[in-house]
Amino acid sequence: KLEGSEFISTHPNQDSLRFVAPYAKYSLKEYIIRADKVKYILVADAILYPDSGKVTVYKKARMEKFANAKLVANSATRFHSMYNVTADVNGRKSYTGSGDYDYIDPEKRKQTLSFSKITVDTTAQTYAVSEIPDSMDFKLIPQISYKGNIVLTASKKFLTFTGFGRLNFNCPDMERSCFKFSADINPAE
């Protein structure tokens, strides 16, 4: 339950972008709204949680970039949570950004994935892309290293990996070669 005033954009390109704030200051001279204690903003299929609870709206309905925010995608399934999110909210169904995501393997080891591109597709569904270089030494499980692309699709429970895996073993007489694959991976299995 949200308390406060509901702010709704009337800008024709923002499709009634809205948020609720219990406190706000208006500058009619500079055309700025500074809202405070904003719990979240619904954008596309995601929930954006501003780090400080502050939202600033400038002239022509341009919102200040969010930094260190949290993002949950999608709002119905809540399969994916990201943090350290930097995001530009352009409208009710449009945002772009970047952020971090924790991949936890079956042995409960956490590896942080940096998604350099978080955006919305033509159906207003959030997706994010990360590229994992060989130098990151990312492991699907301790026995399998991975390099390639990772795609997060808000409606899918698991991330999609498209790249190369390599078995990790210590046998000097055998060459460790890569194998190519594309699959949704359940990190718990």
Side-chain angles (χ1 to χ4, degrees):
K1 185 176 179 183
L2 299 176
E3 293 182 11
S5 298
E6 184 174 30
F7 292 81
I8 303 172
S9 175
T10 58
H11 191 285
N13 295 333
Q14 290 188 334
D15 196 30
S16 300
L17 175 64
R18 64 187 67 210
F19 61 88
V20 174
Y23 303 99
K25 291 182 181 179
Y26 308 90
S27 170
L28 297 176
K29 184 178 180 181
E30 298 173 305
Y31 299 102
I32 296 175
I33 299 171
R34 296 184 196 285
D36 198 10
K37 298 191 178 184
V38 176
K39 291 186 179 180
Y40 62 82
I41 298 173
L42 296 174
V43 57
D45 64 342
I47 308 168
L48 179 72
Y49 297 93
D51 173 47
S52 61
K54 296 182 185 308
V55 175
T56 303
V57 183
Y58 296 105
K59 193 174 184 177
K60 297 187 180 180
R62 186 181 57 81
M63 291 181 110
E64 184 170 83
K65 182 181 285 223
F66 293 93
N68 201 32
K70 292 180 183 170
L71 183 78
V72 174
N74 62 33
S75 60
T77 64
R78 298 177 183 241
F79 286 144
H80 305 288
S81 294
M82 290 180 254
Y83 57 96
N84 293 333
V85 173
T86 300
D88 282 309
V89 176
N90 306 312
R92 174 67 187 92
K93 297 178 182 176
S94 173
Y95 74 98
T96 59
S98 61
D100 294 333
Y101 181 95
D102 288 336
Y103 176 89
I104 300 172
D105 73 13
E107 295 180 4
K108 306 296 182 212
R109 292 180 322 127
K110 179 175 74 170
Q111 297 174 87
T112 301
L113 301 173
S114 292
F115 284 93
S116 59
K117 177 183 178 182
I118 303 171
T119 192
V120 181
D121 66 15
T122 57
T123 65
Q125 178 174 229
T126 297
Y127 73 94
V129 179
S130 180
E131 187 169 327
I132 306 300
D134 207 14
S135 61
M136 185 176 165
D137 197 30
F138 179 83
K139 293 182 175 39
L140 293 170
I141 59 174
Q143 299 82 9
I144 301 177
S145 295
Y146 176 80
K147 68 177 178 179
N149 289 330
I150 300 175
V151 175
L152 176 152
T153 305
S155 63
K156 294 171 67 175
K157 188 171 184 175
F158 303 119
L159 303 175
T160 303
F161 292 76
T162 302
F164 299 91
R166 182 174 49 214
L167 296 176
N168 298 320
F169 55 84
N170 291 324
C171 185
D173 296 335
M174 292 184 69
E175 182 182 337
R176 292 182 343 151
S177 58
C178 292
F179 56 92
K180 187 175 182 178
F181 73 97
S182 181
D184 292 353
I185 301 287
N186 178 350
E189 297 179 359

